[in-house]
């Protein structure tokens, strides 16, 4: 509920004071009327159907109601129920006129050719004397006659305790006669049963007086949110469906025999007094009350029907926090407008029900809060709000103009406070919803005389916009075909829905007369499909036709939020239109296809490989799978499993007569290795015409038409074999040369072919570092690596064996496994070796594909040192030197492993440059060190330079190896 600042309603009061008083006759339209007049049945339009007299009288049955309720008690019960509707603000006076001339029962009531026949004084022809006949159905027989056998059973009392029937409404818009039947089987020794019957009779009186159902404070019915006492006290007596809170529904409602303001509003809308017209004992309807009426619009100006408009009161001179938290009166927009406009598919309904409502579009979004009683004071403000009609309120429980279903409002409507409203004020307020559908996009729709071509893909979207609008399309179809048309109602977000349009579909021949009902097929029952919001129509054709297809709303309605998606599922042709007995691949052309659509041939599933909106490619089953051994012409069906739609091409696919066939079972494929026998045989099978019985002893000749092979079964390039007991001939083979190979197996019943590529197998093993140089006289461990390759297969998992060929070397483990990249490794221990001596070992894959490794001893006199990195560094005293990396080599620059390098370091204090004259001062030594480091498998050693933290200085580093290897360098740390 909106709460506005106090200053707002003060300003609004001054704006509205000048437009609120209407002293003339009040308009009679209201959302609370059960029926509204309209052509062709009625002679007036847009007026509520009311009694022809303001003083209708009821006559009661002369007998007892039951053993528990005698005649006097029954009459008292009826009088109490009727008197609820006699109120000061209404011109209606409902009174007892007497008793019927005879007790009405199953003995004198029967089904006639035009309906139930009652005794003469209870018939509608006697309306001038008896307007309402109240029947005491002592044994339930009349109730059963009206509602069906068993309807009077006491277990159904909450539904069938009272049956009402208005059996005479004349074209002038008046009620002439009605019946009320009290089911005596719903009485008993418990007085609450009689009170329940009185409650139901009170509501039934409201119906026969012409009041419709109302939705006000509907949370009392739904329970969400939890209703308050005041909301329950403003839940109308004429609510559509009772709450079941126990054995008696009247107990669920506080003060159940008190009319609520909404009931009084509806009653005065039908039987009210204009200002100054109330006789003595009565009160003008709008004395100390307000009326608010107006229209609810879409942004394009079209009225929005079926929205529940409600009002809550705000007392004068109070803060927004004092606005009542319950609704007082409600009205459904568009109630006086057409309930059904007819449509081209089902035609116009000229009955009374089909005639209800004005055709004047002024009333399409009209609402009328006919009487809102005033709070204490001189004026009040009314807060207008809107809500959807509860989707349960349809059919006999419908609220407002939409009876078959409720329509979800488009957009949202903020709460709207409406001015300073004084006694007798009648204020007109038009308003729009926020965010509603705003455009009417139907310019591309065809008409009945000039339909637009159906979308070539069979899918399109549209909008039933503009009251009475229908969309027309044209389509050509072949003979012996069927199709399914599907139309799905969608909301503004594109989601399928049952609370917007109610699509109906019609199909005509192009030659059918304009204005005629569908001459080919129709779906006049909306939402009959198995998918949400979908209407489905199936049609079949024996001859080629040019069609007109219409889509409309079942009620003849049209609004900017009535979106739809249409689809024509139609298979037009199949190519090729003939296959062998073995089946084959076909392409179906048509429209409306989508992924997942199934293809059936004579009811047997085909294997679908691809879909587009216009084509389906499928492999159709064999003739044997169809259960036939002779040639036939089959039906081809495309079926949408999700929507249930189908399209059939009758007698569209020819199967030739079955013959014995030779077919391929297995064959080498991909890559085969020259000189190696294939693992998969070249095998064929010969079956008889039935596709099952094997042909035994048929000669099959195997040969290579491209390339060269040797067939193992014959040891030759050409091999003839006999089929075995299973009709199979099979042989392994060995390629004898590289290149493409094409195979052929030929028998009297056919030919089978296969192909593959033959390649020469190449396997290699490569040592990643074939020679390792090691300082003579030392022992050393390192990890040699080998890389293996095979051009025919992956090398992952291949076992590599490591073995010593000569010298002091040992491998562990002796076997390792290649990884995914074909690499394998082991750990080798070698030495000590004499200068110039070698140790040799190898790694072998596939037993014989090997790579050799050598370990060579290097004499100490051959060892040298090289700087790899870290020389020439100059840093600040707060920094750190990078490591110095040295490499031990031999005189040929080969890295040498296992060499012991002695490293000497001193750190001298930092000194500036020597003076031009005199002696250069000797810097003090801050630190010194000596260590021995062994070179790794790559001949490298890493030295961390000495450094005194935070002090400038010079680090002198010298390294020596063997007898000839020496290097020195200096690093500067500036102060």
């Amino acid at each position: 509920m909106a709460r506005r600042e106090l200053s707002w309603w003060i300003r609004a009061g001054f704006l509205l004071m000048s437009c609120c008083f209407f002293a003339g006759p009040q308009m009679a339209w209201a959302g609370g009327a059960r029926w509204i007049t309209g052509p062709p049945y009625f002679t007036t339009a847009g007026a509520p159907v009311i009694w022809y007299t303001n003083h209708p009288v009821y006559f009661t049955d002369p007998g007892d109601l039951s053993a528990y309720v005698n005649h006097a008690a029954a009459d008292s019960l009826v009088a109490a129920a009727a008197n609820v509707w006699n109120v000061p603000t209404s011109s209606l006076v409902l009174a007892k006129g007497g008793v019927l001339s005879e007790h009405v029962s199953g003995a004198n009531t029967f089904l006639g050719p035009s309906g139930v026949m009652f005794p003469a004084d209870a018939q509608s022809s006697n309306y001038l004397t008896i307007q309402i006949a109240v029947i005491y159905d002592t044994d339930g027989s009349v109730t059963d006659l009206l509602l069906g056998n068993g309807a009077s059973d006491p277990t159904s009392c909450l539904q069938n305790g009272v049956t009402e029937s208005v059996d005479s409404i004349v074209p002038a818009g008046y009620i002439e006669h009605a019946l009320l039947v009290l089911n005596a089987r719903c009485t008993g020794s418990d007085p609450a049963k009689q009170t329940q019957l009185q409650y139901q009779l009170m509501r039934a009186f409201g119906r026969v007086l012409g009041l419709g159902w109302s939705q006000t404070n509907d949370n009392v019915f739904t329970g969400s949110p939890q209703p308050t006492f005041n909301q329950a006290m403003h839940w109308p007596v004429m609510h559509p469906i009772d709450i079941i809170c126990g054995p008696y529904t009247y107990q669920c409602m506080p003060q159940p025999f008190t009319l609520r303001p909404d009931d009084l509003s509806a009653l005065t809308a039908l039987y009210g007094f204009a200002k100054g017209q109330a006789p003595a004992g009565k009160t003008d309807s709008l004395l100390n009350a307000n009326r608010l009426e107006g229209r609810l619009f879409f942004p394009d100006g079209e009225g929005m029907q079926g929205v529940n408009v409600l009002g809550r009161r705000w007392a004068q001179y109070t803060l927004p926090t004092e606005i009542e938290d319950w609704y007082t009166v409600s009205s459904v927009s568009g109630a006086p407008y057409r309930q059904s406009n007819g449509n081209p598919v089902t035609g116009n309904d000229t009955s009374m029900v089909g005639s209800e409502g004005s055709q004047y579009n002024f009333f399409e979004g009209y609402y009328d809060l006919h009487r809102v009683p005033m709070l204490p004071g001189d004026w009040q403000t009314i807060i207008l709000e809107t809500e959807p009609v509860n989707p349960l309120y349809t059919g006999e429980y419908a609220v407002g103009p939409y009876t078959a279903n409720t329509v979800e409002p488009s957009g949202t409507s903020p709460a709207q406070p409406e001015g300073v409203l004084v006694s007798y004020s009648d204020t007109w307020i038009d308003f729009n919803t926020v965010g509603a559908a705003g455009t009417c996009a139907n310019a591309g729709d065809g008409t009945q005389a000039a339909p637009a071509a159906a979308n070539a893909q069979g899918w399109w979207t549209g909008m039933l916009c503009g009251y009475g609008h229908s969309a027309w399309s044209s389509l050509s179809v072949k003979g012996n075909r069927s199709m399914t048309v599907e139309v799905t109602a969608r909301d503004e977000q594109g989601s399928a829905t049952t609370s917007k349009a109610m699509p109906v579909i019609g199909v005509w021949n192009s030659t059918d007369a304009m204005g005629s009902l569908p001459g080919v097929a129709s779906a006049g029952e909306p939402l009959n499909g198995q998918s949400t919001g979908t209407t489905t129509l199936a049609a079949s054709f024996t001859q080629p036709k040019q069609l007109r297809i219409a889509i409309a709303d079942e009620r003849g309605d049209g609004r900017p939020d009535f979106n739809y998606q249409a689809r024509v599922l139609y298979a037009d042709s199949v190519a090729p239109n003939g296959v062998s007995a073995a089946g084959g691949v076909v392409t179906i052309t048509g429209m409306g296809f989508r992924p997942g659509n199934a293809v059936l041939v004579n009811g047997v599933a085909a294997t679908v490989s691809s879909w587009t909106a216009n084509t389906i490619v499928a492999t159709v089953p064999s003739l044997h799978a169809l259960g036939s051994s002779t040639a036939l012409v089959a039906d081809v069906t495309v079926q949408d499993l999700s929507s249930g739609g189908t399209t059939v091409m009758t007698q569209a696919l020819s199967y030739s007569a079955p013959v014995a066939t030779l077919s391929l079972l297995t064959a080498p494929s991909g890559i085969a290795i020259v000189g190696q026998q294939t693992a998969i045989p070249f095998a064929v099978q010969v079956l008889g015409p039935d596709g099952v019985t094997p042909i035994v002893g048929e000669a099959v000749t195997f040969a290579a038409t491209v390339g060269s092979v040797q067939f193992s079964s014959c040891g030759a390039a050409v091999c003839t074999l006999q089929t075995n007991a299973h009709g199979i001939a099979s042989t392994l083979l060995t390629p004898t040369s590289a290149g493409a190979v094409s195979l052929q197996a030929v028998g009297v019943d056919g030919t089978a072919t296969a192909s593959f590529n033959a390649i020469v197998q190449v396997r290699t093993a490569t040592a990643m570092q074939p020679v390792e140089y090691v300082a003579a006289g030392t022992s050393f461990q390192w990890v040699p690596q080998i890389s293996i390759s095979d051009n025919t297969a992956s090398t992952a998992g291949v076992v590599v064996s490591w073995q010593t060929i000569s010298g002091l070397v040992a491998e562990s483990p002796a076997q390792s496994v290649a990884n995914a990249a074909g690499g394998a490794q082991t750990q080798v221990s070698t030495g000590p070796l004499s200068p110039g001596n070698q140790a040799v070992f190898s790694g072998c894959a596939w037993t014989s594909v090997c790579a050799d490794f050598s370990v060579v001893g290097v004499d100490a006199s051959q060892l040298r040192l090289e700087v790899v990195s870290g020389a020439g560094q100059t840093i600040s005293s707060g920094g750190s030197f990078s490591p110095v990396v040295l490499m031990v080599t031999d005189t040929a620059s080969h890295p040498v492993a296992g060499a012991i390098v002695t490293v000497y370091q001193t750190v001298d204090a930092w000194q500036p440059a020597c003076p031009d004259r005199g002696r250069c001062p000797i810097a003090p030594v801050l630190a010194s060190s000596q260590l021995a480091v062994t070179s790794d498998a790559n001949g490298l050693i890493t030295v961390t330079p000495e450094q005194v933290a935070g002090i400038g200085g010079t680090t002198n580093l010298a390294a020596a190896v063997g007898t000839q290897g020496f290097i020195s360098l200096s690093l500067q740390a500036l102060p």
Side-chain angles (χ1 to χ4, degrees):
M1 177 172 64
R3 306 293 195 193
R4 302 276 181 101
E5 295 296 329
L6 192 62
S7 60
W8 182 93
W9 54 264
I10 294 174
R11 294 196 305 272
F14 288 110
L15 291 172
L16 291 173
M17 281 290 286
S18 62
C19 67
C20 294
F21 293 95
F22 295 90
Q26 299 180 25
M27 296 174 65
W29 301 289
R34 184 176 181 181
W35 301 285
I36 301 291
T37 63
Y41 178 81
F42 293 102
T43 57
T44 62
V49 175
I50 60 176
W51 277 91
Y52 75 93
T53 173
N54 285 351
H55 296 78
V57 293
Y58 64 86
F59 282 63
T60 61
D61 195 291
D64 293 338
L65 178 57
S66 70
Y68 304 99
V69 184
N70 61 25
H71 177 77
D75 280 3
S76 177
L77 182 152
V78 174
N83 285 338
V84 171
W85 297 100
N86 292 320
V87 297
T89 55
S90 168
S91 63
L92 180 88
V93 177
L94 184 60
K96 181 180 179 182
V99 296
L100 301 174
S101 60
E102 60 181 306
H103 173 61
V104 180
S105 69
N108 55 16
T109 305
F110 57 91
L111 280 175
S114 58
V116 177
M117 300 297 294
F118 290 93
D121 63 339
Q123 292 182 14
S124 60
S125 58
N126 194 35
Y127 75 93
L128 290 175
T129 303
I130 299 175
Q131 285 84 58
I132 303 173
V134 181
I135 297 169
Y136 299 159
D137 186 12
T138 55
D139 60 0
S141 58
V142 179
T143 300
D144 289 343
L145 190 63
L146 291 172
L147 303 181
N149 289 335
S152 66
D153 189 279
T155 59
S156 300
C157 284
L158 293 182
Q159 294 77 36
N160 302 332
V162 177
T163 303
E164 58 88 6
S165 173
V166 176
D167 56 354
S168 179
I169 297 177
V170 295
Y174 294 116
I175 304 169
E176 289 186 339
H177 189 263
L179 294 161
L180 290 166
V181 181
L182 277 63
N183 180 6
R185 299 181 70 187
C186 295
T187 65
S189 58
D190 183 357
K193 289 191 174 185
Q194 281 69 262
T195 306
Q196 174 68 25
L197 204 63
Q198 177 185 332
Y199 169 77
Q200 291 175 271
L201 181 60
M202 171 190 64
R203 284 165 47 83
F205 266 122
R207 294 292 278 172
V208 301
L209 292 176
L211 274 71
W213 302 122
S214 178
Q215 176 179 307
T216 309
N217 298 301
D218 199 47
N219 65 306
V220 178
F221 171 70
T222 64
S224 178
Q226 181 70 31
T228 65
F229 175 78
N230 279 322
Q231 288 168 343
M233 282 300 298
H234 289 78
W235 188 44
V237 165
M238 296 306 292
H239 55 263
I241 304 173
D242 269 336
I243 302 172
I244 307 297
C245 66
Y248 307 111
T249 57
Y250 78 89
Q251 296 174 340
C252 307
M253 191 175 184
Q255 301 180 28
F257 297 102
T258 301
L259 295 182
R260 278 34 176 182
D262 187 82
D263 301 309
L264 295 171
S265 176
L267 186 62
T268 56
L270 273 62
Y271 305 101
F273 293 114
K275 186 176 183 180
Q277 301 299 310
K282 293 285 186 176
T283 303
D284 291 348
S285 296
L286 287 185
L287 176 64
N288 295 321
N290 314 135
R291 181 183 183 186
L292 262 73
E293 55 185 325
R295 292 173 295 176
L296 179 61
F297 291 111
F298 282 97
D300 68 351
E302 181 178 351
M304 187 184 299
Q305 282 185 283
V307 181
N308 202 37
V309 181
L310 308 104
R312 63 172 89 233
R313 299 177 298 181
W314 185 2
Q316 65 181 35
Y317 306 122
T318 61
L319 294 173
T321 54
E322 300 302 314
I323 297 173
E324 291 178 337
D325 67 351
W326 61 89
Y327 297 113
T328 305
V329 177
S330 69
S331 171
V332 179
S333 63
Y337 198 51
R338 298 291 289 180
Q339 288 189 10
S340 173
N341 194 46
N343 63 75
V345 177
T346 60
N348 293 322
D349 182 358
T350 59
S351 69
M352 190 201 85
V353 173
S355 300
E356 287 188 61
S358 172
Q359 294 176 318
Y360 183 23
N361 63 7
F362 175 88
F363 297 108
E364 190 171 3
Y366 175 79
Y367 69 93
D368 182 8
L369 304 184
H370 199 83
R371 183 183 186 277
V372 184
M374 291 182 62
L375 293 167
D378 297 324
W379 58 272
Q380 67 181 3
T381 297
I382 297 176
I383 313 298
L384 284 181
E385 298 181 25
T386 64
E387 67 180 8
V389 173
N390 189 320
L392 294 176
Y393 300 158
T394 60
E396 63 179 305
Y397 304 110
V399 175
Y402 291 125
T403 57
N405 76 332
T406 60
V407 176
E408 186 76 16
S410 182
T412 58
S413 179
Q416 305 196 35
E418 301 305 338
V420 176
L421 305 178
V422 299
S423 179
Y424 286 105
S425 64
D426 188 342
T427 305
W428 187 276
I429 301 295
D430 290 341
F431 61 98
N432 293 63
T433 58
V434 177
T439 58
C440 197
N442 57 13
D445 289 353
T447 64
Q448 186 175 18
N455 183 278
Q457 291 190 324
W459 297 86
W460 70 95
T461 57
M463 178 185 297
L464 296 175
C465 187
Y467 200 81
H469 179 75
S470 54
W472 292 79
S473 303
S474 64
L475 179 68
S476 296
V477 296
K478 292 180 178 178
N480 296 320
R481 299 290 187 268
S482 74
M483 71 176 184
T484 298
V485 184
E486 298 170 353
V487 179
T488 301
R490 296 186 178 273
D491 60 19
E492 298 91 323
Q493 289 73 44
S495 300
T497 180
T498 58
S499 60
K500 292 291 185 180
M502 298 183 69
V504 292
I505 310 166
V507 179
W508 290 256
N509 293 304
S510 61
T511 56
D512 290 341
M514 298 291 107
S516 63
L517 293 178
V520 176
S522 65
E525 182 67 31
L527 312 180
N528 63 347
Q530 65 186 45
S531 300
T532 300
T534 299
T535 302
T536 298
L537 170 63
S540 57
F541 321 98
T542 58
Q543 301 296 325
K545 289 182 179 291
Q546 181 69 29
L547 304 174
R548 293 199 304 263
I549 302 173
I551 300 169
D553 180 71
E554 188 249 357
R555 300 153 298 206
D557 200 359
R559 306 166 31 138
D561 58 345
F562 276 13
N563 301 291
Y564 68 85
Q565 180 184 64
R567 174 197 191 188
V568 174
L569 178 58
Y570 169 66
D572 184 78
S573 61
V574 58
N577 61 4
V579 294
S580 71
V585 177
V586 299
T587 298
I588 300 168
T589 302
M591 63 197 317
F593 304 147
R594 63 178 168 184
N597 286 170
V599 175
L600 307 175
V601 180
N602 275 7
V604 178
T607 302
V608 179
S609 56
S610 68
W611 300 264
T612 69
N614 295 112
T615 60
I616 296 178
V617 179
T619 301
V620 298
S622 67
L623 194 60
H624 173 71
L626 301 186
S628 177
S629 59
T630 59
L632 58 76
V633 182
D635 298 343
V636 178
T637 301
V638 176
Q639 186 176 60
D640 191 313
L641 301 178
S642 61
S643 73
T646 60
T647 173
V648 180
M649 296 182 288
T650 304
Q651 301 285 286
L653 182 63
S654 298
Y655 278 80
S656 58
V659 295
T661 57
L662 183 150
S663 59
L664 179 67
L665 289 183
T666 63
S669 62
I671 294 174
I673 299 171
V674 174
Q676 292 186 18
Q677 183 173 278
T678 59
I680 298 175
F682 186 20
V684 297
Q685 185 177 40
V686 182
L687 297 177
D690 62 0
V692 176
T693 305
I695 301 298
V696 180
E698 180 171 322
V700 178
T701 299
F702 295 88
T705 57
V706 176
S708 60
V709 301
Q710 184 180 72
F711 293 101
S712 302
S713 297
C714 301
V718 178
C719 184
T720 300
L721 302 174
Q722 306 294 315
T723 57
N724 61 18
H726 301 289
I728 296 173
S730 175
T731 178
L732 294 170
L733 57 97
T734 301
T736 57
S737 62
V741 177
S742 296
L743 303 176
Q744 178 177 274
V746 180
V748 296
D749 290 314
T751 299
T753 61
S755 63
F756 62 89
N757 285 319
I759 62 173
V760 176
Q761 187 177 52
V762 177
R763 290 173 169 174
T764 63
T766 304
M768 301 307 294
Q769 185 178 337
V771 181
E772 179 73 14
Y773 294 88
V774 179
T778 64
S779 296
F780 185 73
Q781 289 186 339
W782 64 296
V783 179
Q785 295 181 326
I786 189 173
S787 176
I788 61 175
S789 67
D790 186 338
N791 67 336
T792 65
S794 169
T795 56
V798 173
V799 175
V800 175
S801 298
W802 303 90
Q803 53 191 355
T804 301
I805 297 175
S806 64
L808 295 174
V809 64
E811 305 84 12
S812 179
Q815 288 187 331
S816 56
V817 176
N819 59 25
Q825 63 185 31
T826 189
Q827 182 170 294
V828 171
S829 298
T830 184
L833 297 176
S834 301
N837 284 356
Q838 292 188 16
V840 180
F841 64 97
S842 66
C844 297
W846 305 289
T847 305
S848 59
V849 180
C850 302
D852 291 343
F853 296 81
S854 299
V855 184
V856 179
V858 179
D859 186 74
S861 64
Q862 302 295 309
L863 299 179
R864 300 291 186 270
L865 282 170
E866 298 178 1
V867 178
V868 176
S869 64
Q873 297 182 62
T874 300
I875 63 172
S876 66
S877 59
S880 298
F881 289 116
S882 297
V884 174
V885 180
L886 306 177
M887 178 184 288
V888 180
T889 68
D890 61 10
T891 54
S893 297
H894 298 127
V896 178
I900 298 175
V901 180
T902 303
V903 179
Y904 306 90
Q905 295 190 70
T906 61
V907 179
D908 298 342
W910 185 85
Q911 293 290 333
C914 292
D916 293 337
R917 301 186 179 207
R919 298 179 62 184
C920 188
I922 298 174
V925 176
L926 303 179
S928 65
S929 65
Q930 176 181 335
L931 74 158
V933 185
T934 302
S935 60
D936 63 16
N938 296 309
L940 299 176
I941 67 167
T942 300
V943 180
T944 300
E946 289 282 349
Q947 191 174 356
V948 178
I951 299 176
T954 300
T955 298
N956 301 300
L957 187 151
V961 64
T963 61
Q964 302 292 323
F966 180 79
I967 197 167
S968 65
L969 49 90
S970 295
L971 310 177
Q972 297 289 327
L974 302 178

